[in-house]
Short mmCIF file of all heavy atoms in Angstrom, two decimals:
data_model
loop_
_atom_site.label_atom_id
_atom_site.label_comp_id
_atom_site.label_asym_id
_atom_site.label_seq_id
_atom_site.Cartn_x
_atom_site.Cartn_y
_atom_site.Cartn_z
N ARG A 74 -13.51 -0.08 2.33
CA ARG A 74 -13.05 1.05 3.15
C ARG A 74 -11.62 1.47 2.86
O ARG A 74 -11.24 2.61 3.10
CB ARG A 74 -13.17 0.70 4.64
CG ARG A 74 -14.61 0.64 5.14
CD ARG A 74 -15.29 2.00 5.08
NE ARG A 74 -16.70 1.94 5.48
CZ ARG A 74 -17.72 1.67 4.67
NH1 ARG A 74 -17.50 1.44 3.38
NH2 ARG A 74 -18.95 1.63 5.12
N ASN A 75 -10.78 0.56 2.38
CA ASN A 75 -9.37 0.89 2.13
C ASN A 75 -9.17 1.36 0.69
O ASN A 75 -9.45 0.61 -0.26
CB ASN A 75 -8.48 -0.34 2.37
CG ASN A 75 -8.38 -0.69 3.84
OD1 ASN A 75 -7.77 0.04 4.62
ND2 ASN A 75 -9.00 -1.78 4.23
N LYS A 87 -10.32 15.03 -3.81
CA LYS A 87 -11.35 14.00 -3.65
C LYS A 87 -11.75 13.73 -2.19
O LYS A 87 -12.92 13.61 -1.87
CB LYS A 87 -10.88 12.70 -4.30
CG LYS A 87 -10.82 12.77 -5.82
CD LYS A 87 -10.69 11.39 -6.45
CE LYS A 87 -9.29 11.00 -6.70
NZ LYS A 87 -9.15 9.74 -7.45
N ILE A 103 6.08 11.14 -1.99
CA ILE A 103 5.62 12.35 -1.28
C ILE A 103 6.74 13.38 -1.28
O ILE A 103 7.85 13.12 -0.80
CB ILE A 103 5.22 12.01 0.18
CG1 ILE A 103 4.11 10.96 0.19
CG2 ILE A 103 4.78 13.27 0.91
CD1 ILE A 103 3.78 10.46 1.59
N GLN A 104 6.46 14.56 -1.82
CA GLN A 104 7.42 15.67 -1.79
C GLN A 104 7.36 16.35 -0.42
O GLN A 104 6.33 16.29 0.26
CB GLN A 104 7.06 16.70 -2.87
CG GLN A 104 6.98 16.13 -4.28
CD GLN A 104 8.32 15.63 -4.78
OE1 GLN A 104 9.34 16.26 -4.54
NE2 GLN A 104 8.32 14.47 -5.42
N SER A 105 8.45 17.02 -0.05
CA SER A 105 8.51 17.66 1.27
C SER A 105 7.34 18.59 1.53
O SER A 105 6.80 18.63 2.64
CB SER A 105 9.78 18.51 1.38
OG SER A 105 10.90 17.70 1.32
N ASN A 106 6.94 19.34 0.52
CA ASN A 106 5.88 20.33 0.75
C ASN A 106 4.49 19.70 0.86
O ASN A 106 3.51 20.39 1.08
CB ASN A 106 5.90 21.41 -0.34
CG ASN A 106 5.63 20.84 -1.72
OD1 ASN A 106 5.57 19.63 -1.90
ND2 ASN A 106 5.44 21.72 -2.68
N LYS A 168 15.12 0.71 11.83
CA LYS A 168 15.45 1.05 13.22
C LYS A 168 15.27 2.54 13.47
O LYS A 168 14.81 2.96 14.52
CB LYS A 168 16.91 0.64 13.52
CG LYS A 168 17.07 -0.85 13.70
CD LYS A 168 18.51 -1.23 14.00
CE LYS A 168 18.63 -2.74 14.14
NZ LYS A 168 20.01 -3.20 13.88
N MET A 182 6.83 -2.57 1.69
CA MET A 182 6.06 -2.44 0.45
C MET A 182 7.01 -2.56 -0.73
O MET A 182 8.19 -2.19 -0.63
CB MET A 182 5.37 -1.07 0.46
CG MET A 182 4.60 -0.70 -0.78
SD MET A 182 5.59 0.07 -2.08
CE MET A 182 4.31 0.93 -2.99
N ILE A 184 7.07 -2.70 -5.40
CA ILE A 184 6.49 -2.85 -6.74
C ILE A 184 7.45 -3.77 -7.49
O ILE A 184 8.61 -3.42 -7.70
CB ILE A 184 6.40 -1.49 -7.47
CG1 ILE A 184 5.54 -0.52 -6.66
CG2 ILE A 184 5.84 -1.67 -8.88
CD1 ILE A 184 5.52 0.89 -7.25
N GLN A 198 9.89 -13.57 -3.25
CA GLN A 198 10.53 -14.43 -2.24
C GLN A 198 11.48 -13.62 -1.36
O GLN A 198 11.51 -13.78 -0.14
CB GLN A 198 11.29 -15.57 -2.95
CG GLN A 198 11.94 -16.55 -2.00
CD GLN A 198 10.92 -17.44 -1.32
OE1 GLN A 198 10.25 -18.23 -1.99
NE2 GLN A 198 10.78 -17.31 -0.01
N ASP A 202 11.18 -13.18 2.62
CA ASP A 202 12.31 -13.56 3.49
C ASP A 202 12.71 -12.41 4.41
O ASP A 202 12.92 -12.60 5.61
CB ASP A 202 13.52 -13.98 2.65
CG ASP A 202 13.31 -15.33 1.97
OD1 ASP A 202 12.34 -16.03 2.32
OD2 ASP A 202 14.10 -15.66 1.06
#
Side-chain angles (χ1 to χ4, degrees):
R74 289 295 177 272
N75 289 290
K87 290 195 267 186
I103 302 173
Q104 304 295 319
S105 296
N106 62 352
K168 285 180 181 157
M182 176 273 202
I184 301 174
Q198 182 73 64
D202 289 348

